[in-house]
Amino acid sequence: MEKSFEDLGNMLDAKYPLIYLASSEYGRIIQKVRTIAFKKGYEFSTWDLVDRLQTHKKAEGRNRLDSVDRHQAYEETENIESLLDFLLKGNKDKENVKEIFIIEDAHKQFSDEKFIVQLRKIAQYFKGINKHLLLLSPFFKLPIELEKYVTVLNIPLPDKSDLEKRLNVVINESNINEDLKKLLLDAAAGLTDTEAELAFRLAQKKVGLDKREAIKIISSEKSQIIRKSGILEFYHTNENLDSSVGGLDNLKKWLKLRSKAFDRKAKEFGLKEPKGLLLLGVPGTGKSLTAKSIASEWNQPLLKLDIGKVFQAEVGSSENNIRLAIQTAEAIAPCVLWIDEIEKGLSFGGEKDGGTNSRVLSTILTWMQEKSKPVFVVATANNISNLPPELLRKGRFDEIFFIDLPTKKEREKIFAIHLEKNGQKGITDFDELGKQSMYFNGAEIEEVVKEAMFNAYVENNENPQVKLVYLLDAAKEVVPLAVTMKTKIDGLREWASSRARPASSDSDVEPIEIKEQNSIKHLTKREKEEDIF
């Protein structure tokens, strides 16, 4: 955070005339820029549609640089056109005075051609007289006509040091254990300055900031605020790699090993945090469940990125949405960022969208390659034919794992997990179930257990107990998705055999064989649609 404002100070010293500040925190930005302005001997003014142009006057007799008295308003600047005319006309009495002007909500004016021309003229005029115009907007949006005249500066969300200052204001010199304070700041990471202050005050009002319960209150507020964006979702998950995920021992071993990279001693040794993982596999085999379990295993928050919600009709909004999502994830780091079915969210190729998909993809790929914050990306995919080669390149993901249909032993384990979750421990021999459920994926096994529980309840609602016969009967009624998607799964297996690591060490993989009547295979409509690999 401080680096961004240090960069701004250097730009002012270098006499940059037009600077674009991308941030939704108008109050914090204005306060920070005003402090820089007073420290460097500038006059500081802001403009918005309500208050018009106002020059901030430094309070007399106060030491704080951001202290201000009543502002001086300019009534002749009632709209943006009159403001820029006012700036271009200049003031002879202030020809040698250093000045900084901020325009709030500048992005709303870019549809006006005269505004663009006026900005170009101001860029030429201000360049030689040590005056600066700052365009403040919640996201980046710049017409091509201004690209060579405006310098863009993205202002990140508050870091831990900024949040600590806000927390200290709220606790007002009360004593809080340093370990607890660290946890409170971790819980608030990813919030704006104002949002963090409100969350701190709410926790203080409910239980007090000297209680561990305050952490849950702040985290709960954070999850609500993140969900409001509609792009990122904050997940509370209690899944566990060992007790919730059946099989996949190779993947589990890899994850447990990489979790050590977050230890303090590991960092001192020089171990780097893992970047991410691509989980490729058959639908219903536990890719999403694994993503949730990683966050629980590593004791990190889980964010889900809905790429479909990134795209907006307004030009430039999609690119800004993905940048905001990345910025939020980095502010919360260390965390797990889950991108589900990445191949569906991004329709790679084609120019019908004006190149928006390509720009969003480019932003994601560049960030994944260059990111320095510990954001572990878990991307899941069902169809590799839609994945671009550059996404699969080493450096973006640490590893690509292929999750195949569960083997017989893994199916037995999955049955046991779902029965135990539902309090059913009466079945100990799963051999027959393993045979009867050939080609079943994890989701289909879960549905078999649900069906058996319904049957058990109907038979005896006083003391319902799931019996083996109920499970076998329910399994007989299921037509596995693998049978319908045989061609696609065979293609996935062939592709992954030389390009991805198997998530399971169990080599007892069952080839999909479909019994055909009269040696003629009649494809259903769905089979024809799925047979596209």
Side-chain angles (χ1 to χ4, degrees):
M1 168 56 68
E2 293 302 326
K3 183 181 184 306
S4 298
F5 291 107
E6 182 181 332
D7 290 342
L8 176 61
N10 291 333
M11 291 176 186
L12 295 174
D13 292 340
K15 298 184 179 180
Y16 279 50
L18 287 181
I19 302 173
Y20 192 117
L21 302 180
S23 173
S24 59
E25 298 184 86
Y26 285 18
R28 182 168 66 103
I29 299 302
I30 289 173
Q31 183 268 325
K32 289 275 191 180
V33 177
R34 183 172 61 206
T35 299
I36 293 172
F38 289 165
K39 186 179 292 186
K40 290 181 175 292
Y42 283 88
E43 280 197 5
F44 178 73
S45 303
T46 58
W47 181 90
D48 61 55
L49 280 170
V50 175
D51 295 326
R52 305 176 185 179
L53 183 66
Q54 291 190 326
T55 298
H56 296 226
K57 298 295 185 181
K58 184 179 176 183
E60 296 295 333
R62 298 181 188 174
N63 293 324
R64 285 188 58 185
L65 291 171
D66 59 350
S67 299
V68 292
D69 280 335
R70 299 283 297 179
H71 303 325
Q72 176 185 345
Y74 296 85
E75 297 298 327
E76 64 268 37
T77 59
E78 68 276 2
N79 56 50
I80 193 68
E81 184 177 327
S82 59
L83 167 69
L84 296 188
D85 284 341
F86 176 84
L87 296 179
L88 284 168
K89 183 173 63 176
N91 186 334
K92 290 184 179 181
D93 295 333
K94 292 186 177 182
E95 282 184 355
N96 298 318
V97 177
K98 299 194 298 183
E99 293 182 279
I100 296 174
F101 304 91
I102 287 184
I103 296 178
E104 296 184 27
D105 298 317
H107 63 285
K108 294 183 177 180
Q109 314 298 332
F110 288 138
S111 58
D112 184 354
E113 291 184 9
K114 185 174 181 180
F115 176 70
I116 294 173
V117 175
Q118 286 175 313
L119 285 181
R120 289 206 303 264
K121 290 182 178 295
I122 283 178
Q124 295 295 333
Y125 175 46
F126 277 10
K127 187 168 59 176
I129 58 175
N130 209 353
K131 299 184 189 296
H132 314 270
L133 180 60
L134 277 54
L135 307 174
L136 182 55
S137 173
F139 57 82
F140 174 70
K141 177 184 178 182
L142 192 65
I144 191 171
E145 296 92 337
L146 291 174
E147 287 182 356
K148 302 300 182 183
Y149 295 86
V150 178
T151 301
V152 179
L153 190 61
N154 284 305
I155 307 296
L157 291 166
D159 57 20
K160 298 290 176 64
S161 62
D162 289 313
L163 293 174
E164 185 174 9
K165 293 175 185 176
R166 187 57 55 195
L167 177 61
N168 289 337
V169 170
V170 176
I171 62 179
N172 193 22
E173 299 182 357
S174 300
N175 290 323
I176 293 182
N177 178 278
E178 286 299 317
D179 290 333
L180 178 58
K181 178 184 278 191
K182 180 181 181 302
L183 293 174
L184 292 173
L185 295 175
D186 288 343
L191 299 179
T192 66
D193 190 66
T194 301
E195 290 168 345
E197 180 177 352
L198 293 175
F200 291 146
R201 293 191 184 281
L202 180 64
Q204 184 182 52
K205 183 69 176 175
K206 283 188 171 182
V207 298
L209 289 171
D210 57 344
K211 305 284 195 311
R212 292 186 69 87
E213 290 83 353
I215 299 170
K216 290 185 177 180
I217 294 173
I218 295 169
S219 294
S220 178
E221 282 299 294
K222 179 165 69 174
S223 68
Q224 293 296 324
I225 291 166
I226 289 174
R227 284 193 184 105
K228 283 192 296 185
S229 70
I231 303 168
L232 285 177
E233 293 182 53
F234 191 97
Y235 268 77
H236 296 283
T237 176
N238 296 315
E239 307 293 352
N240 182 279
L241 273 177
D242 292 322
S243 62
S244 301
V245 181
L248 312 185
D249 56 324
N250 280 346
L251 175 57
K252 290 178 181 178
K253 181 180 179 181
W254 189 92
L255 290 168
K256 290 178 184 294
L257 184 64
R258 292 307 184 279
S259 68
K260 303 297 183 184
F262 297 98
D263 294 344
R264 179 179 57 83
K265 289 183 178 179
K267 293 181 180 179
E268 292 174 356
F269 175 64
L271 280 182
K272 301 294 183 183
E273 294 96 348
K275 284 189 172 185
L277 199 61
L278 175 61
L279 301 179
L280 171 68
V282 181
T285 50
K287 297 186 294 297
S288 299
L289 178 62
T290 301
K292 297 175 186 177
S293 300
I294 293 171
S296 294
E297 182 74 22
W298 292 358
N299 294 314
Q300 294 183 3
L302 175 65
L303 300 179
K304 182 181 178 182
L305 173 62
D306 189 338
I307 292 187
K309 293 180 180 178
V310 167
F311 295 99
Q312 303 290 330
E314 186 178 356
V315 176
S317 295
S318 303
E319 294 88 333
N320 286 302
N321 284 342
I322 195 63
R323 278 192 286 264
L324 177 61
I326 289 171
Q327 190 182 90
T328 303
E330 289 193 331
I332 293 175
C335 66
V336 176
L337 180 63
W338 171 28
I339 308 177
D340 198 24
E341 296 187 344
I342 189 172
E343 81 280 13
K344 291 183 180 178
L346 292 172
S347 300
F348 307 112
E351 296 298 327
K352 293 181 180 179
D353 61 352
T356 300
N357 280 352
S358 298
R359 290 191 295 272
V360 170
L361 173 61
S362 176
T363 300
I364 293 174
L365 294 179
T366 301
W367 171 70
M368 289 176 66
Q369 184 73 33
E370 305 295 335
K371 66 184 171 74
S372 57
K373 297 291 182 68
V375 179
F376 186 76
V377 178
V378 182
T380 66
N382 297 323
N383 189 348
I384 54 91
S385 63
N386 287 340
L387 294 178
E390 56 267 33
L391 183 67
L392 306 176
R393 207 190 82 189
K394 280 287 186 182
R396 303 270 162 63
F397 295 106
D398 295 301
E399 196 59 79
I400 301 174
F401 277 95
F402 174 62
I403 303 181
D404 205 342
L405 291 170
T407 63
K408 179 177 177 292
K409 289 181 181 178
E410 290 173 333
R411 293 196 297 272
E412 292 174 9
K413 176 64 175 175
I414 296 169
F415 268 113
I417 287 174
H418 285 298
L419 287 168
E420 187 172 343
K421 275 186 178 180
N422 291 285
Q424 301 295 317
K425 300 180 180 180
I427 300 174
T428 57
D429 186 358
F430 295 92
D431 182 67
E432 187 61 30
L433 269 175
K435 294 176 182 176
Q436 187 67 44
S437 58
M438 183 180 290
Y439 309 142
F440 282 29
N441 60 37
E444 288 162 345
I445 291 174
E446 183 178 9
E447 289 305 313
V448 167
V449 173
K450 288 180 181 178
E451 181 67 20
M453 290 185 67
F454 272 110
N455 292 334
Y457 182 79
V458 169
E459 182 179 276
N460 181 1
N461 59 14
E462 294 296 330
N463 183 28
Q465 293 293 321
V466 173
K467 300 177 182 177
L468 180 60
V469 65
Y470 298 153
L471 293 165
L472 293 172
D473 288 344
K476 289 176 183 177
E477 300 301 319
V478 175
V479 178
L481 182 65
V483 174
T484 304
M485 300 178 63
K486 177 186 184 306
T487 305
K488 186 175 181 180
I489 294 173
D490 288 342
L492 278 171
R493 285 174 167 176
E494 183 180 352
W495 184 92
S497 64
S498 59
R499 297 177 179 87
R501 288 180 63 176
S504 173
S505 64
D506 192 342
S507 59
D508 188 20
V509 178
E510 298 147 326
I512 302 172
E513 297 177 353
I514 302 175
K515 295 180 180 179
E516 302 178 5
Q517 295 181 349
N518 300 324
S519 300
I520 299 176
K521 176 69 169 71
H522 297 284
L523 296 179
T524 65
K525 181 175 183 294
R526 180 173 180 179
E527 286 176 315
K528 292 175 182 176
E529 292 173 349
E530 292 290 351
D531 190 12
I532 59 172
F533 186 85

